Amino acid sequence: MKIVVAIKQVPVRDTNVRIDASGKWIDEADLEFEINEPDAYALEEALQLKDEHGGEVIALCAGPEHAGSMIREALAKGADRAIHIECDDLGSLDTLGVAQRLAAAVKAENPDLILTGLQSDDLGLGQTGVVMAELLGIPHSTIIMHVAVDGAAIKVKRELEDGWFQQIEMPLPALLTIQSGIHRLRYATLMGIKKAKTKEVKKLTPAELGAAPAAAITVERIYAPEKKKQTQILKGSPQETAAQLVEKLKYEVRVI
Amino acid sequence: MSGVLVVLEHRNGAWARMSWEAIAAAGQLAQICGGNVYTAALGGELGALSAEAASHGGAKLHTLEHAQLAQYTPEGYTLALEELIRKHQPAWVVFAHTYRTRDFAPRLATRFQQVLIADVISLRGEDGAPVFVRQMMQGKLNADYRKTGDGPGFVSVQAGAFREEVSSSTAAIEPFAVTLDAGQIRTKPGEPFRESAQTVDLGAASLIVSVGRGIKEQDNIPVVQELADALGAELAASRPICDNGWLPMERQVGSSGQTVAPKLYLAVGISGAIQHLVGMKGSKSIVAINKDENAPIFEVADYGIVGDLFEIVPALTEAVRKAKGA
Ligand SMILES: Cc1cc2nc3c(=O)[nH]c(=O)nc-3n(C[C@H](O)[C@H](O)[C@H](O)COP(=O)(O)OP(=O)(O)OC[C@H]3O[C@@H](n4cnc5c(N)ncnc54)[C@H](O)[C@@H]3O)c2cc1C
């Protein structure tokens, strides 16, 4: 089974992001990046399918040079090779533009299965995978919590609202967007890290993949949300704030 | 090209309430760009659902009934709505941002070379054109989006962002015949199911202490368990805690977990992502303890303490015990 898994980098969780001079994106200087969390689970699913059924896992990323470290890590965890579409212009593309680039690179590989995370922790539009499926003309399903391969078809468990699920079957090739928590994530072993150094990372330029369409939507401005709710922030040492909160719980919330 | 089309959603024989919020958003949009609001309902046989949907307003309700639409599939919905949109050419198509919309709307928008502006929290008019606000960076920032270029625009709206309005008018029901055949639909859906019988009903709890990824390790769970015990509260969690197996799934609060509305919801080390908030924002009082003063959880909190939970929670547990004379 040949699996392509599309992964991207996002700013490390819990960092304080600042808005850049254009007012349209965050200031990336001094930021640290890590793999988008749902993408890490998509990679894990791909690796587990390979463990079970054999085949090949190809990590695919469209992103700037610094995404190279994430790609190496994917290889160290067990991906067989990688495709890096090196580009700094993602900010000027919308989902369709990015998905088109990724789909063009996928097409040349002709995989059985394509996996991505269900959404990114930065933009959170949650569409890249679905749009890729449409561009490639293959069936898809989203928010997947389990994948079973049965010959030329797959059976997946899709998450629904409020703790409900649904089984869905579809023929291969297909695309799935993976939900966080589908498995425990593995760590790269020392052996894996060593091996990764010899694995192929194919570099592609956006130009090789066809012109991007004009953006259908654009970001005009980003800003800190205006606070609408009056939150009473309790101040002081831990002991002081604890004592104040107990007072509130006693006399205002009336639960003590 | 005019008007706003709202795609309504029903599950298990009942309308999703978020559909009515989407109609409210469409009303705001129609005020900016002109034209009427139309609605669309898809299904095998809609029966009484049609009349109920029509009573929520709009100029017209398009009913798309077909055996291949009896169960939701992304292909069926994409094909049927593509046909409707090509025929009626609305300027905008609006959805509630549900799991189903996430599944098919990006595919539908792509058919028109468009991109869905997903999970919108508000909209306004500027220079006669709509500007849509959506969250970025997990709710830490907002972004203003505009549509550029021609063709219909696609927008989905976040749960609770627009208030459902009582309609004084009833939509005229107009059947729309769709052409679909089974061969076009490659995904075969099964019946929805629940994993296992739930033994914890957080919905009935009047006090909840809820823990998030700020707790860092499973070994630290007792820190919050002790606070819950001192208060006589149930312990709940955000999704990553349950994903990691640190607490059982049935203690998860949020869109894919339980919805709770206790007298007190005390969130410890939870950032306040929308998928968490939808499960708990109906709580009577919300307290948040978080080291990041800009964490979105403070947007819904009545009381907040900004600081390290590992210092604050033990002090709070101690103070609660003392207040209770234990
Ligand atoms: C389709 C879908 C469904 C989902 N369903 C759910 C759901 O049902 N429920 C749910 O909860 N999530 C759900 N999520 C995930 C959701 O988007 C968030 O990823 C998740 O809620 C984040 O959990 P968290 O707040 O615990 O972690 P984080 O976002 O990592 O937040 C941790 C917080 O802890 C704070 N912190 C860290 N250290 C300390 C310290 N020492 N002291 C104090 N504070 C500290 C940080 O400032 C941060 O705000 C869903 C996502 C998707 C896409």
Side-chain angles (χ1 to χ4, degrees):
Chain A
M1 187 144 146
K2 187 169 176 179
I3 307 171
V4 169
V5 50
I7 54 179
K8 79 178 255 190
Q9 266 188 329
V10 294
V12 170
R13 188 184 307 288
D14 284 6
T15 39
N16 264 327
V17 288
R18 276 166 304 149
I19 297 163
D20 73 5
S22 77
K24 294 176 196 258
W25 191 235
I26 51 173
D27 189 351
E28 295 198 347
D30 312 327
L31 271 192
E32 280 183 60
F33 293 85
E34 64 187 355
I35 187 168
N36 179 46
E37 184 174 46
D39 295 352
Y41 286 98
L43 173 65
E44 182 60 38
E45 178 60 42
L47 295 174
Q48 295 214 3
L49 286 172
K50 184 188 145 185
D51 291 346
E52 200 180 325
H53 303 280
E56 188 182 24
V57 172
I58 305 160
L60 168 66
C61 172
E65 203 188 333
H66 63 65
S69 58
M70 171 195 68
I71 291 170
R72 281 289 159 213
E73 200 184 326
L75 293 172
K77 282 185 169 185
D80 298 283
R81 58 191 171 92
I83 302 170
H84 186 179
I85 308 169
E86 263 195 9
C87 48
D88 289 312
D89 62 346
L90 290 181
S92 67
L93 301 181
D94 60 12
T95 311
L96 188 55
V98 176
Q100 213 152 67
R101 227 172 241 182
L102 293 170
V106 167
K107 218 171 203 154
E109 292 290 344
N110 214 5
D112 302 299
L113 187 63
I114 303 159
L115 304 180
T116 73
L118 84 173
Q119 67 181 38
S120 59
D121 288 340
D122 53 1
L123 285 172
L125 281 157
Q127 305 181 44
T128 306
V130 181
V131 175
M132 273 171 76
E134 170 64 17
L135 295 173
L136 293 165
I138 59 175
H140 81 272
S141 192
T142 54
I143 321 186
I144 300 305
M145 286 299 281
H146 187 257
V147 184
V149 179
D150 179 13
I154 46 172
K155 192 171 190 175
V156 300
K157 181 171 139 195
R158 169 163 205 259
E159 183 177 303
L160 304 174
E161 279 104 338
D162 303 323
W164 290 81
F165 297 95
Q166 185 177 30
Q167 297 281 358
I168 300 174
E169 291 176 29
M170 72 195 79
L172 294 174
L175 183 146
L176 303 172
T177 77
I178 302 297
Q179 168 69 301
S180 291
I182 188 168
H183 298 291
R184 301 286 160 77
L185 299 175
R186 71 188 62 192
Y187 292 99
T189 59
L190 272 177
M191 178 68 125
I193 294 168
K194 220 163 131 192
K195 268 195 190 159
K197 294 192 177 121
T198 62
K199 288 178 177 172
E200 180 199 15
V201 180
K202 186 164 148 192
K203 302 251 170 115
L204 293 177
T205 61
E208 292 171 81
L209 299 166
I217 62 173
T218 57
V219 176
E220 196 140 275
R221 187 170 79 90
I222 66 171
Y223 47 96
E226 206 180 296
K227 241 183 111 46
K228 292 194 201 88
K229 175 129 184 178
Q230 283 296 331
T231 305
Q232 282 189 51
I233 299 287
L234 311 176
K235 296 206 167 107
S237 69
Q239 284 68 28
E240 286 161 4
T241 53
Q244 288 173 57
L245 185 57
V246 165
E247 290 289 293
K248 304 283 182 197
L249 296 181
K250 217 167 167 175
Y251 299 109
E252 292 178 18
V253 187
R254 296 172 186 273
V255 291
I256 297 184
Chain B
M1 195 86 143
S2 77
V4 183
L5 177 71
V6 186
V7 179
L8 308 175
E9 178 168 332
H10 59 89
R11 283 174 242 146
N12 311 322
W15 287 109
R17 304 236 1 216
M18 278 171 75
S19 293
W20 317 141
E21 297 174 2
I23 293 180
Q28 287 187 23
L29 193 48
Q31 292 210 323
I32 297 162
C33 59
N36 284 317
V37 172
Y38 304 95
T39 54
L42 295 81
E45 278 170 41
L46 289 162
L49 285 171
S50 297
E52 189 188 345
S55 76
H56 285 269
K60 237 183 245 171
L61 165 67
H62 299 288
T63 51
L64 287 66
E65 293 177 309
H66 194 288
Q68 295 300 332
L69 297 174
Q71 259 189 312
Y72 163 76
T73 60
E75 297 100 322
Y77 269 51
T78 301
L79 288 161
L81 287 166
E82 182 186 2
E83 211 177 330
L84 180 74
I85 294 164
R86 295 220 187 274
K87 170 88 190 298
H88 288 283
Q89 309 229 330
W92 292 94
V93 185
V94 176
F95 311 81
H97 192 69
T98 60
Y99 285 29
R100 183 176 295 175
T101 295
R102 297 171 70 110
D103 197 54
F104 80 92
R107 196 153 193 155
L108 177 64
T110 305
R111 297 258 158 125
F112 295 86
Q113 299 296 308
Q114 300 296 327
V115 174
L116 174 73
I117 304 179
D119 215 7
V120 161
I121 57 170
S122 69
L123 63 92
R124 63 175 189 276
E126 246 173 49
D127 317 321
V131 175
F132 301 93
V133 183
R134 56 182 305 280
Q135 296 171 306
M136 275 189 7
M137 308 302 298
Q138 305 264 319
K140 281 188 197 153
L141 295 173
N142 280 357
D144 285 355
Y145 275 76
R146 266 186 204 260
K147 176 176 171 303
T148 46
D150 307 323
F154 293 81
V155 177
S156 65
V157 297
Q158 189 170 93
F162 293 82
R163 186 167 302 162
E164 167 187 351
E165 285 160 15
V166 181
S167 172
S168 53
S169 68
T170 298
I173 298 178
E174 193 177 283
F176 179 81
V178 290
T179 44
L180 278 177
D181 67 68
Q184 292 171 294
I185 295 170
R186 292 170 290 185
T187 51
K188 301 266 172 293
E191 286 301 316
F193 63 93
R194 265 181 188 275
E195 203 78 297
S196 55
Q198 272 179 354
T199 53
V200 188
D201 182 10
L202 294 176
S206 71
L207 305 177
I208 292 178
V209 170
S210 195
V211 58
R213 185 146 43 189
I215 199 75
K216 293 198 172 68
E217 290 174 28
Q218 181 165 25
D219 290 350
N220 295 331
I221 295 285
V223 174
V224 281
Q225 181 70 59
E226 278 170 29
L227 174 60
D229 291 346
L231 280 164
E234 283 285 354
L235 188 61
S238 68
R239 179 167 182 137
I241 301 300
C242 302
D243 279 348
N244 287 334
W246 298 352
L247 285 173
M249 281 296 189
E250 56 194 12
R251 294 201 176 264
Q252 180 181 317
V253 168
S255 64
S256 49
Q258 298 200 45
T259 301
V260 300
K263 268 175 90 171
L264 171 70
Y265 190 90
L266 205 161
V268 181
I270 292 179
S271 63
I274 178 63
Q275 292 89 0
H276 188 80
L277 298 186
V278 292
M280 47 64 78
K281 67 182 177 190
S283 305
K284 249 179 114 198
S285 283
I286 297 171
V287 178
I289 300 173
N290 195 303
K291 66 172 188 191
D292 175 8
E293 61 175 339
N294 294 318
I297 189 75
F298 288 119
E299 185 59 45
V300 298
D302 301 285
Y303 307 97
I305 300 176
V306 178
D308 185 352
L309 73 90
F310 296 105
E311 293 176 5
I312 294 159
V313 174
L316 184 57
T317 304
E318 205 38 55
V320 170
R321 285 193 185 132
K322 225 162 82 196
K324 287 192 155 185

